[in-house]
Amino acid sequence: MRSLFANNRAGGAYGEADGCVDTPAGISHHASRFFLSLADNNRDRNILPPAPVESERDRSVLAELLASVAPDQAVLLADALLDEFGSIGAILSESEEALRRVIGSQDAVIRLLIATEKLLMAQLQNELPKKLISATDEKLIRYLQASMGSLAEETMRVLFLDNANHLIRDQIFGHGSPRKVIVQPRNILKRSLELNASAIILVHNHPGGDVQPSPSDVKFTMLIKMLCRELEIKLHDHIVIAGNKWSSFRRMKLL
């Protein structure tokens, strides 16, 4: 079975591997405010600052947090991180290597940021409904936005449910680069069988900010739906996350 991968057009997550070519401008637009250019070129970075009020609030809150481990440098570190990544959500989504590139050997600060992200995700996971009656449950969407909305890379995750719609597992299946993310449908279906899942919910993010599914998104989803039907597994929905926005294939009557 062929691999599907991100085509990095704003609003487009998956395409067939043959003949997909990205331009630097296209990649920069696709990643919008969260894309970190590999080149040191402001023209390519296209990171938009948050609104003034939101920006000032983020700086104040982040500086207060960092003051617990670096009181003398908290404001400078908060400024450096926000100037580079754009928002607290984006900072908490970054890897240790990316954080270290901006603030150097501030080990205590880096450990604090990583621990904070884990704490927030754990709290949101605890708030998930015990029974997922709807893929568009408000608490589920809030969890998905927090965990994926600020990612600079397209990521595919799958929620596996039992026959009573209880969440069995939440697993990442394609975590790539701003250029592409490899997604192999057979791995998703194989994992469904291993977990004895009765249903799944697909979720992926659009770093470019457009929650409208592309034709290739729809094609990929229809392929998964067909494979699920053969195995008597229900595809409940495919959710697209973009920052604090989201869309649902089922609500758009694409499923």
Side-chain angles (χ1 to χ4, degrees):
M1 186 175 297
R2 292 171 294 182
S3 296
L4 304 180
F5 68 98
N7 63 22
N8 286 298
R9 292 173 294 184
Y14 304 97
E16 295 183 8
D18 296 335
C20 180
V21 178
D22 284 306
T23 65
I27 296 170
S28 179
H29 173 69
H30 173 70
S32 187
R33 65 178 284 188
F34 301 123
F35 174 63
L36 305 179
S37 175
L38 297 178
D40 186 17
N41 187 325
N42 289 332
R43 178 176 56 84
D44 291 330
R45 291 182 61 185
N46 193 28
I47 303 177
L48 303 179
V53 173
E54 180 182 341
S55 176
E56 184 56 36
R57 183 190 63 207
D58 279 6
R59 290 178 191 277
S60 176
V61 170
L62 184 59
E64 185 176 354
L65 174 67
L66 300 185
S68 64
V69 294
D72 297 333
Q73 298 176 285
V75 174
L76 289 177
L77 291 172
D79 285 344
L81 289 165
L82 287 169
D83 287 346
E84 180 66 21
F85 300 121
S87 70
I88 291 178
I91 291 168
L92 296 179
S93 297
E94 288 298 335
S95 65
E96 178 179 342
E97 291 75 16
L99 296 174
R100 197 174 296 280
R101 174 173 55 79
V102 176
I103 62 176
S105 57
Q106 295 282 345
D107 292 342
V109 171
I110 291 171
R111 287 196 299 270
L112 177 62
L113 291 172
I114 292 173
T116 300
E117 193 271 340
K118 290 180 178 178
L119 179 65
L120 291 175
M121 288 303 103
Q123 176 61 27
L124 288 169
Q125 285 177 326
N126 289 339
E127 291 179 355
L128 289 178
K130 300 303 180 183
K131 183 177 180 180
L132 294 177
I133 299 174
S134 169
T136 55
D137 182 278
E138 180 182 351
K139 291 180 179 179
L140 174 61
I141 295 299
R142 189 161 61 239
Y143 165 69
L144 295 173
Q145 288 172 329
S147 57
M148 303 182 73
S150 298
L151 294 179
E153 305 161 340
E154 286 199 4
T155 300
M156 166 63 75
R157 75 192 310 143
V158 181
L159 307 179
F160 297 94
L161 311 175
D162 64 15
N163 58 8
N165 284 340
H166 295 102
L167 181 62
I168 303 172
R169 186 67 56 88
D170 170 11
Q171 186 169 337
I172 300 292
F173 274 85
H175 194 113
S177 69
R179 286 189 176 274
K180 63 180 180 180
V181 54
I182 303 298
V183 180
Q184 296 184 335
R186 66 176 178 268
N187 290 340
I188 295 176
L189 276 297
K190 178 183 177 183
R191 189 59 173 151
S192 299
L193 294 175
E194 290 173 349
L195 295 170
N196 197 28
S198 296
I200 62 173
I201 299 170
L202 301 176
V203 188
H204 84 277
N205 65 311
H206 282 171
D210 185 359
V211 295
Q212 184 67 29
S214 71
S216 52
D217 291 338
V218 176
K219 181 178 179 180
F220 175 81
T221 306
M222 294 304 102
L223 173 60
I224 293 291
K225 180 181 179 180
M226 179 187 69
L227 296 172
C228 283
R229 185 184 297 119
E230 293 296 321
L231 298 174
E232 298 183 342
I233 296 171
K234 175 74 172 178
L235 175 58
H236 278 322
D237 210 336
H238 188 162
I239 305 297
V240 181
I241 300 291
N244 61 358
K245 299 182 293 182
W246 61 278
S247 64
S248 157
F249 272 58
R250 192 161 295 281
R251 285 195 175 188
M252 290 185 287
K253 301 188 185 305
L254 296 174
L255 274 177

